[in-house]
Amino acid sequence: MNVLLVGGGGREHAIAWKIAQSPLLTKLWIAPGNPGTALHGENVEVKATDLDGIVALAQRIAADLVIVGPEDPLAAGLVDRLEAAGIAAFGPSGAAAQLEASKAFAKSLMRDANIATSSSATFDDAARATAYVHDVSHRVVVKADGLAAGKGVTVCDDVAQAEAAIDAAMRDRAFGAAGARVVIEERMFGRETSAHAFTDGVTVRHMPFSCDHKPVFDGDRGPNTGGMGAYSPPSWLPERVADAIRREVTERTVSALADAGTPYRGVIYPGMMLTADGPRVVEYNSRFGDPETEVLLPRLRSDLLAICDAVAHGRLAEVPVEWSDDATVGVIMVAPGYPGTYPTGAPIEGIEDVDDDVQVFLAGTARDAAGRLVTAGGRVLCVVASGKTVAEARERAYDNVKRISFEGAHYRTDIAARADEPLGVAAGR
Ligand code: GLY
C-alpha cells in the first residue's frame, strides 16, 4: 500500500515507526514530517493544515490510505475532502471531529447520551459568562469552545481568575475565533487517565489506558504543556472502573454519534477524571494523544496499517488488535523556556548511545545545513522504554534520557513516579 501520514510531531514519528513495520506497506510519505519520520519514509513539505495541498499530494502518490494525525485538519474536514476525491482516509469526518473541536458540541452530546461529565453552561456573551461565574458557588474551568492548540483551558481557583479567563478568550481573543464562545464547567478533582480506542463507527477496539503529565515541572508545578511524558498502563485504575469507561463512555459515545447521523471513524480518545463521584469525561480528542501514542504503539503487537485500513473501510471487526502486557514509560525532553519562548538550533547529541530496544521519537527537531540533528521546537523528543512493570520501564527510560543532551535541555524527573500509588492514596491531588 502507498500510505500518506499527515503531521509532524512525536506522535507522527511513533505512527511512522509502527506503520513501517507492516508487510502491507509499499511506501510511506509524511507531510510535513520531521527528521524522525524521515527514517521510515519520505517527508514532503506540505503543511498538515493545507487541505488542497494534502489532497493533491495524496493523488500524486496514488495513496491507498491517508492517516491524519493532528486535530486541526480533521476539524477542517480533510477526511471528507479525501473521501470526496476517492481516497480512503483514517480519521473522523469534519462533523464527527467536532467532538474535540467544539466543547459545546461535546457537552450537548454527553447530556443527550447520559455520559458522565461535569455540569456546564455555554456562553456567546462575555457579560453573561462573567455574571455566571459570580452566581455559582463552585470553582470553575473556563474553556474556549474551539481548538486552541491545548491552550484554551483555564482551571480557576477563584472568581477573579475566571473573569480574567473569560476576558482573555472572549474580549481579547487570545485564542482567536476559538474563544468567541466559552464553556464554563464545574471544576473536578481526581486522577486523570486517557482512554483511547480504534473505531470504524460500529466496532470499537479499546487500547490500553495511559496517562500523560501536562505541567512543565516536577510535582505538577508550572504551566501546562503539550505533555511532558506518559506511561501505560496505570495499575492504579481498578478494572471495574476501566470497564465502566469503556462501555459507558467510549462505546456509548460512538453509538450516540452514529445515532446522530455523524458516524465516527478513527481514534476516539476521551480524557477521563476519576472523581469521588465516579469517572467523568474531561474532554474528548478526535485523534491519537501526544505523548500517549509514543507509549501506546510500542505495546501494539498487531499491524497498525492493517487496523487503520480496516477502520477506513468499516471492517475493524475483521482484524486482530492485540497488545503486549509490558509497561512503557516515555519522557519528553524540551527546550529551555518551553512552553514560553525558547531557542532553536541546538545540536542534539547522544541518540546513538541509547539501548537498542529503547525508542527515541523525534518531535521539534530539524537537520541543519551540515545535516546535524538540531532542536527546532519546544517539545524536542520522547525517550520510551519498556519493562515488566512501570517502575522497571521508568528506570530504563531515565537511564537512557541521561545519555541524550542539548543545550538547556529540560525534562521532568517524576514521570510515572506515582503510577503504582493506589487510587485512594492519590485521589484529589
Ligand atoms: N495528551 C493530550 C493530548 O494529546 O491532547
Side-chain angles (χ1 to χ4, degrees):
M1 293 173 66
N2 283 342
V3 178
L4 172 60
L5 170 62
V6 178
R11 166 182 53 207
E12 284 75 27
H13 184 181
I15 295 171
W17 167 80
K18 190 68 190 169
I19 292 283
Q21 297 167 25
S22 171
L24 300 175
L25 184 69
T26 308
K27 179 162 178 182
L28 176 64
W29 285 261
I30 311 96
N34 67 35
T37 64
L39 301 171
H40 308 291
E42 181 179 329
N43 288 348
V44 186
E45 266 306 312
V46 178
K47 286 195 180 122
T49 48
D50 175 3
L51 269 48
D52 290 337
I54 296 289
V55 174
L57 173 62
Q59 286 170 325
R60 179 167 70 72
I61 64 171
D64 298 298
L65 183 68
V66 179
I67 300 172
V68 186
E71 61 273 24
D72 288 291
L74 289 168
L78 177 56
V79 167
D80 312 69
R81 291 279 309 274
L82 289 161
E83 288 180 350
I87 300 162
F90 175 86
S93 65
Q98 294 310 301
L99 196 60
E100 174 169 2
S102 168
K103 309 280 180 262
F105 174 91
K107 284 287 188 188
S108 158
L109 180 109
M110 286 188 273
R111 232 180 344 261
D112 292 349
N114 194 24
I115 294 167
T117 186
S118 58
S119 64
S120 69
T122 299
F123 297 94
D124 294 304
D125 178 80
R128 294 174 75 136
T130 305
Y132 176 81
V133 297
H134 279 272
D135 278 355
V136 293
S137 53
H138 53 253
R139 279 183 271 180
V140 301
V141 178
V142 177
K143 295 182 171 178
D145 178 54
L147 293 176
K151 299 190 187 102
V153 174
T154 309
V155 179
C156 306
D157 284 322
D158 52 37
V159 172
Q161 273 184 9
E163 275 193 45
I166 292 165
D167 283 349
M170 302 189 84
R171 296 200 166 97
D172 304 340
R173 291 295 164 93
F175 317 113
R181 168 179 290 173
V182 297
V183 171
I184 301 178
E185 64 179 27
E186 182 173 356
R187 182 170 164 184
M188 297 184 281
F189 295 88
R191 247 173 138 171
E192 289 189 53
T193 187
S194 304
H196 288 67
F198 296 106
T199 180
D200 60 7
V202 178
T203 302
V204 178
R205 294 272 189 254
H206 300 279
M207 302 189 207
F209 282 80
S210 56
C211 298
D212 70 349
H213 295 256
K214 293 195 178 81
V216 69
F217 298 125
D218 284 7
D220 285 340
R221 288 176 300 111
N224 272 354
T225 68
M228 295 294 293
Y231 65 93
S232 176
S235 54
W236 51 265
L237 181 65
E239 182 49 33
R240 69 179 162 75
V241 179
D243 202 53
I245 294 170
R246 290 186 200 107
R247 314 278 157 247
E248 294 162 23
V249 176
T250 309
E251 293 175 19
R252 195 175 289 177
T253 305
V254 170
S255 299
L257 283 163
D259 292 346
T262 44
Y264 190 102
R265 284 184 178 170
V267 168
I268 185 166
Y269 151 23
M272 301 299 305
M273 187 174 281
L274 274 68
T275 73
D277 299 322
R280 300 277 182 272
V281 175
V282 178
E283 64 182 8
Y284 287 101
N285 297 292
S286 58
R287 39 136 186 117
F288 273 115
D290 194 348
E292 289 94 330
T293 308
E294 289 92 312
V295 295
L296 287 171
L297 292 185
R299 298 190 59 198
L300 179 61
R301 282 217 173 107
S302 307
D303 182 339
L304 178 62
L305 179 51
I307 296 169
C308 293
D309 190 47
V311 165
H313 291 96
R315 43 176 188 74
L316 179 58
E318 296 170 21
V319 296
V321 183
E322 284 162 10
W323 300 90
S324 138
D325 289 334
D326 282 354
T328 43
V329 172
V331 178
I332 303 257
M333 299 180 77
V334 303
Y338 173 78
T341 53
Y342 49 80
T344 58
I348 302 168
E349 316 279 357
I351 290 182
E352 61 287 353
D353 297 330
V354 305
D355 294 338
D356 287 346
D357 61 346
V358 167
Q359 308 307 323
V360 179
F361 294 121
L362 301 182
T365 53
R367 296 269 172 207
D368 69 7
R372 291 179 310 175
L373 188 67
V374 296
T375 62
R379 287 196 295 174
V380 173
L381 55 84
C382 183
V383 178
V384 182
S386 303
K388 289 284 161 240
T389 61
V390 169
E392 188 184 317
R394 176 171 191 271
E395 194 177 320
R396 296 198 61 228
Y398 277 111
D399 181 42
N400 281 273
V401 162
K402 289 177 190 141
R403 303 177 203 176
I404 300 176
S405 61
F406 54 87
E407 198 176 340
H410 165 68
Y411 57 88
R412 279 181 63 159
T413 64
D414 62 351
I415 300 300
R418 292 171 50 213
D420 294 329
E421 271 181 35
L423 185 57
V425 175
R429 275 206 248 146

